[in-house]
Amino acid sequence: MSLNLSRRGFIASTAMLSAAPVVARAAMSDVPDIAPQNPLVKQRADAQIFRHEDGWYYMTGSVPEYDRLVLRRSRTLAGLATAEEAVLWRHLSSGPMSGFIWAPELHLIDGRWIMYFAAGPSGGGEDVFRIRTYAIVCDGPDPMKGKWSVLGQFQAPWDSFNLDSTIFVHRGKRYFVWAQREPGIETNSNLYIAPLATPLTLAAKATRLTVPTLDWEIQGFKVAEAPAILARNGRLFMTYSASATDARYCLGLLTAADDADIMDPRAWTKSPEPVFVSSEVTKVYGTGHNSFTTDEEGRDILVYHGRDYSAITGDPLFDPNRHTRVQRLYFRADGTPDFGIPVGNGPLPGRFSPADRKEAFLAHDGQRAIVGQAALPATQFRLAPARVSGSVTLSPIDMPDYCLTSGADGRIMLAKAEQGADFVRRSAFVPRVAPDNSVRFTAVASPDKALAHREGAIILHQAEDATTRWLSS
Ligand code: AHR
């Protein structure tokens, strides 16, 4: 059983967990959310997930066989894991679209569903990496049920390797952003932007946004690809993927003010360091090719792919285990996105703030459990069902083998998880959700006490006051 840490879902999940009746259960008038688990969808790379105005989450992505375009949809983000997947189109038996089919994206353009993708020939004397961008179009309003046919080829500025296109509308204008190899620049691909005139033609000369030159962009291959755009806090944040698609694959970030001339390359600032990389701690590797969506409560979600291992036999391009993953995307006080680290397999972690200190977080400093400010990963705790019925353990994602444990003196610290009965009792807490959606973590070892904070430390405390009420943020 997993705990869904969206407020509504958390109520439902904990109601199922805790033995005693939970007041919040009455608050659950509708079906509880299903809690997303990572990996969300296995063997789907380059995933695009978006929540359409029709209330459906749509998802497409590359399949390991690279031979077809697929689409699935669900009323919940987590439901994508088991949603039926339709095949919209299969590569042709010959010609320029008979080989690899890569990185599709679905867009609704002037009332028509159009799916963009990269494709190449299947050989027969042709270079299978002669990859170009194409589109198919649906003949009706339902992309899962309509008939799809080839719309045509994107008219790129050069007849060269191009892929990973995306579209966004900014200040009423529709822009196309894609990766392409530019004649005279010795890289695999750079990023370009231009307004669209029609779904397959540009309305202006393309602007080159970035060329891979930094060390973390040129590992294995010199790559800038897979752009994705998020408009937040008065800025446009454009992520892209860099380096070879093995464990060195990572996300870079370009940022522009939303009132800038985004066709001027000088409007975009490149982050000097990657913003999202593989993690040895949470064991997710090759994190990249992202998209953005929101959860059922409208909170930003980062979608990306990653493997469970770093060592790959053969060409990473033909390793099928780039799984689709999702996690909350948070923002710093200055409005910039904080990508943190890949949260790892299992239920999504949560962040908890004391009801009387909403700006602070339950966190850890080494093995000290604290309340305050800390790097994002040190504030993300995974709740997992503990061996005592209806209880959970709380483990920070960046120390997954440790969990909060009560000591003899009533102080709470992080300790390496053990199997002994005494440790199991001291690290088990029963979450109880109040009508205000705050959570009280009652200690199994001291049922009259609950997790609380005092002078920056975490303790067990008897009173039912604001220091024992935690808000899931
Ligand atoms: O997954 C196939 C291709 O590999 C994608 O188009 C690209 O983003 C990645 O390099």
Side-chain angles (χ1 to χ4, degrees):
M1 177 187 298
S2 60
L3 282 171
N4 178 4
L5 288 152
S6 70
R7 277 186 285 279
R8 197 160 55 112
F10 190 90
I11 290 170
S13 303
T14 49
M16 285 186 270
L17 258 183
S18 52
V22 174
V23 172
R25 193 174 284 155
M28 284 308 304
S29 57
D30 51 353
V31 174
D33 298 325
I34 310 164
Q37 296 253 354
N38 277 315
L40 182 66
V41 181
K42 291 206 169 181
Q43 297 200 347
R44 289 295 179 265
D46 314 323
Q48 178 207 24
I49 295 177
F50 65 95
R51 193 177 197 189
H52 188 48
E53 60 192 19
D54 62 6
W56 289 100
Y57 282 96
Y58 288 90
M59 173 184 163
T60 187
S62 298
V63 299
E65 303 81 2
Y66 298 138
D67 63 353
R68 62 191 186 280
L69 294 171
V70 296
L71 182 67
R72 64 177 74 191
R73 69 180 170 193
S74 165
R75 288 295 187 193
T76 63
L77 188 56
L80 288 171
T82 54
E84 183 187 342
E85 186 173 79
V87 177
L88 305 185
W89 186 84
R90 294 182 184 277
H91 65 182
L92 306 179
S93 54
S94 63
M97 303 161 78
S98 60
F100 296 141
I101 303 295
W102 287 349
E105 283 206 3
L106 179 65
H107 294 276
L108 187 63
I109 298 178
D110 300 330
R112 292 195 298 174
W113 285 108
I114 293 176
M115 182 172 276
Y116 293 83
F117 60 99
S122 51
E126 282 273 0
D127 173 9
V128 296
F129 288 103
R130 191 182 186 286
I131 300 288
R132 301 294 186 273
T133 299
Y134 300 89
I136 57 173
V137 62
C138 183
D139 68 351
D142 186 341
M144 293 289 289
K145 298 189 173 72
K147 185 173 176 302
W148 289 81
S149 57
V150 176
L151 181 65
Q153 179 178 349
F154 162 53
Q155 302 308 300
W158 311 277
D159 184 19
S160 65
F161 180 80
N162 66 85
L163 71 166
D164 292 359
S165 62
T166 191
I167 287 177
F168 72 104
V169 177
H170 180 60
R171 297 180 163 236
K173 190 178 278 192
R174 186 174 287 119
Y175 291 88
F176 202 67
V177 188
W178 72 100
Q180 184 156 10
R181 181 186 182 94
E182 180 177 344
I185 299 179
E186 290 314 305
T187 60
N188 275 64
S189 56
N190 317 311
L191 291 190
Y192 299 87
I193 186 172
L196 271 180
T198 70
L200 293 172
T201 58
L202 302 177
K205 182 176 183 298
T207 288
R208 183 187 324 124
L209 289 174
T210 182
V211 176
T213 57
L214 302 177
D215 186 54
W216 54 271
E217 294 179 311
I218 59 174
Q219 296 301 306
F221 294 103
K222 297 181 178 180
V223 167
E225 63 184 16
I229 292 91
L230 181 68
R232 288 288 184 278
N233 308 323
R235 278 153 284 188
L236 290 179
F237 298 108
M238 185 186 298
T239 48
Y240 63 94
S241 294
S243 286
T245 54
D246 55 26
R248 297 169 293 183
Y249 205 54
C250 59
L251 291 185
L253 181 68
L254 300 173
T255 302
D258 69 4
D259 59 356
D261 171 7
I262 61 174
M263 286 299 291
D264 180 344
R266 295 166 301 181
W268 296 89
T269 303
K270 181 190 288 191
S271 298
E273 298 300 329
V275 294
F276 196 60
V277 301
S278 299
S279 170
E280 195 56 54
V281 169
T282 59
K283 306 228 178 305
V284 181
Y285 307 91
T287 49
H289 204 119
N290 80 288
S291 56
F292 296 105
T293 187
T294 56
D295 66 11
E296 290 81 357
E297 296 182 69
R299 303 177 303 181
D300 288 307
I301 295 288
L302 175 69
V303 182
Y304 60 98
H305 70 227
R307 297 185 181 89
D308 291 326
Y309 48 79
S310 59
I312 295 168
T313 305
D315 184 337
L317 198 56
F318 304 114
D319 172 282
N321 295 311
R322 292 179 291 174
H323 305 320
T324 300
R325 299 166 186 273
V326 294
Q327 61 189 60
R328 287 285 302 283
L329 179 66
Y330 295 97
F331 291 84
R332 300 182 183 88
D334 66 359
T336 58
D338 184 349
F339 291 83
I341 66 174
V343 296
N345 289 352
L348 298 191
R351 301 176 89 190
F352 299 96
S353 298
D356 59 345
R357 282 191 62 190
K358 294 187 178 64
E359 82 298 337
F361 295 99
L362 172 64
H364 74 92
D365 174 7
Q367 289 190 238
R368 279 192 327 120
I370 62 172
V371 148
Q373 299 302 324
L376 175 56
T379 69
Q380 292 175 290
F381 283 78
R382 176 165 284 117
L383 276 60
R387 278 173 28 201
V388 176
S389 172
S391 68
V392 297
T393 56
L394 292 91
S395 295
I397 64 165
D398 60 348
M399 290 177 72
D401 299 337
Y402 286 68
C403 59
L404 294 182
T405 307
S406 55
D409 60 357
R411 292 181 72 83
I412 297 292
M413 62 180 290
L414 277 182
K416 198 168 177 64
E418 301 168 12
Q419 293 306 313
D422 175 56
F423 183 90
V424 166
R425 284 175 53 76
R426 290 187 293 109
S427 58
F429 299 90
V430 177
R432 293 182 181 285
V433 182
D436 67 355
N437 286 347
S438 66
V439 188
R440 175 181 168 85
F441 292 100
T442 303
V444 167
S446 310
D448 59 336
K449 295 179 181 174
L451 288 178
H453 71 100
R454 182 176 298 159
E455 296 168 2
I458 307 298
I459 61 169
L460 288 182
H461 181 49
Q462 195 153 11
E464 295 229 3
D465 59 24
T467 67
T468 61
R469 293 205 328 268
W470 300 89
L471 298 171
S472 172
S473 61

